[in-house]
Amino acid sequence: MRTNLRATADKIDTAFFVIQGREDVVTPTKAAIDYCEHVESPHRYCNEIPDSGHFAFMTTPAAFLSELTDKVRPVAIVRGA
Amino acid sequence: MSQTQKSKKSPRMGGTFDEFLREEGMYEAIQTTAMRRILAMQLDGTAVGKLMRGAGHTYGRYGAKTPRRSLWKELQTMELRLRSICFVDCTIVLGHSWGSIVGVRMMQLRPGLFAAYVGTGQVASWKESVDMQFELLQEKAQREDHQTSIKQFNDIGNPDPTNAQQYFTFSKGPRGAMAPSDQAWLQSLRDRASTLLAGDRHNFQNVLDVMDFSSSVRSKCCRTR
């Protein structure tokens, strides 16, 4: 409950992606994207999915999958997946 | 490398694991078994669920009796599982909501084990999340002139992010403030609750048949050694 990743996890030594529902009020989108843009990483990508909230991967699966296949997968393959 | 270490080198070094399995005549059987187990783990949430507070181990459910777990031990278990069952060199971790804190911590502890981290419903600062939710719900209560809630928010004043009881009290009604897509999805789960609960979560054969989870799909998911 004292979690503050901006202070404790600002450097991540692997590819780092945040794919956030634009209307997320449970884990507010602005805070998530701000944190993502704050992280130092070998590869970083921060994006919002329109018309979705906290459960973007369930409510807008096509858009979420597109992000995974187009953005995450190519980077992960290069890095060994 | 020392002579002793060299002498322990596997005579099969240089070949792939798939080649080894073919030589031993076990390839097809292992592929089928492994794929079923992987899919079962994915569906059952075992691999992920063990790292999730949300998988029946939430504070909201257990309060002060919430089971304590060692992330380090969980990671070691997961690493062994992935390497022995999935045979993948690296893994993409997807962290959702509270699991995004665990996911980020995993990246800090063992970055070399993972090819990428994907956060969604990403937590940044718990205090920030609590403050934003409090503000949003307070505005909603005022907008709807819900006097009981307005009094509750006024009594709290400034939310304390370390006070779990307070948080779970005022955040009981966040669904009404959620994105319409979230609300619709949660409602659809409620509507299908009896069907979902009636399903046999340990028998995946029918799911496998329907999904045609073939090796081509597997090759799209991850490369094998």
Side-chain angles (χ1 to χ4, degrees):
Chain A
M1 298 202 127
R2 291 181 173 82
T3 299
N4 183 359
L5 297 183
R6 202 173 284 119
T8 60
D10 58 349
K11 189 171 184 303
I12 302 293
D13 291 328
T14 190
F16 187 83
F17 297 79
V18 168
I19 302 167
Q20 188 84 358
R22 184 169 290 166
E23 299 162 13
D24 192 337
V25 296
V26 181
T27 50
T29 305
K30 183 180 181 308
I33 297 296
D34 284 352
Y35 166 59
C36 180
E37 290 175 348
H38 178 76
V39 167
E40 268 183 57
S41 159
H43 181 97
R44 187 184 64 197
Y45 175 82
C46 322
N47 199 20
E48 298 173 21
I49 296 185
D51 303 319
S52 64
H54 191 58
F55 302 102
F57 54 98
M58 297 303 296
T59 58
T60 48
F64 198 87
L65 183 62
S66 172
E67 290 286 292
L68 292 179
T69 52
D70 297 348
K71 304 295 181 185
V72 179
R73 187 166 172 264
V75 175
I77 286 174
V78 169
R79 295 181 63 81
Chain B
M1 186 182 282
S2 69
Q3 271 313 113
T4 313
Q5 284 173 311
K6 275 182 184 172
S7 66
K8 287 179 180 175
K9 200 173 176 180
S10 166
R12 296 188 187 278
M13 194 164 277
T16 67
F17 189 72
D18 282 357
E19 285 166 356
F20 166 75
L21 291 176
R22 284 197 180 93
E23 284 171 23
E24 299 295 321
M26 294 164 21
Y27 181 78
E28 293 302 329
I30 291 287
Q31 288 287 89
T32 305
T33 304
M35 289 326 304
R36 285 183 180 174
R37 290 176 72 179
I38 292 165
L39 183 59
M41 285 167 68
Q42 289 172 338
L43 292 173
D44 194 34
T46 305
V48 178
K50 282 185 73 67
L51 294 164
M52 283 175 61
R53 289 288 176 197
H57 298 93
T58 58
Y59 189 92
R61 181 173 180 181
Y62 290 103
K65 292 181 181 172
T66 304
R68 288 185 176 275
R69 293 174 167 203
S70 160
L71 178 58
W72 178 246
K73 284 183 183 169
E74 300 276 7
L75 262 180
Q76 287 177 317
T77 307
M78 184 180 182
E79 179 178 1
L80 283 172
R81 213 174 247 157
L82 288 169
R83 295 210 181 275
S84 64
I85 297 175
C86 192
F87 308 121
V88 292
D89 287 325
C90 282
T91 306
I92 300 167
V93 169
L94 191 147
H96 174 246
S97 200
W98 192 255
S100 70
I101 299 172
V102 180
V104 167
R105 185 67 182 138
M106 286 164 68
M107 298 308 114
Q108 287 184 298
L109 287 171
R110 297 297 299 271
L113 182 61
F114 307 107
Y117 167 75
V118 181
T120 184
Q122 176 70 46
V123 174
S125 151
W126 179 246
K127 180 181 185 315
E128 206 167 20
S129 292
V130 169
D131 286 346
M132 286 184 181
Q133 280 184 38
F134 185 87
E135 196 178 324
L136 193 77
L137 292 168
Q138 189 173 27
E139 282 173 6
K140 182 173 181 285
Q142 287 166 347
R143 199 168 52 245
E144 295 173 355
D145 196 25
H146 196 290
Q147 289 303 319
T148 311
S149 298
I150 291 171
K151 183 178 183 313
Q152 183 189 49
F153 286 114
N154 289 340
D155 289 346
I156 292 173
N158 291 315
D160 175 4
T162 64
N163 185 336
Q165 192 179 3
Q166 183 193 78
Y167 172 75
F168 285 112
T169 302
F170 84 73
S171 67
K172 270 183 181 168
R175 284 196 186 128
M178 276 181 156
S181 57
D182 284 342
Q183 292 187 49
W185 181 65
L186 290 171
Q187 186 57 49
S188 77
L189 288 182
R190 277 195 211 94
D191 294 343
R192 289 184 293 147
S194 57
T195 310
L196 293 169
L197 288 170
D200 180 357
R201 61 201 293 269
H202 297 295
N203 179 5
F204 299 103
Q205 189 53 55
N206 53 341
V207 181
L208 288 166
D209 291 344
V210 170
M211 291 179 70
D212 186 24
F213 198 73
S214 62
S215 57
S216 63
V217 175
R218 182 189 183 200
S219 68
K220 287 178 187 171
C221 297
C222 58
R223 288 180 181 173
T224 55
R225 279 180 183 159

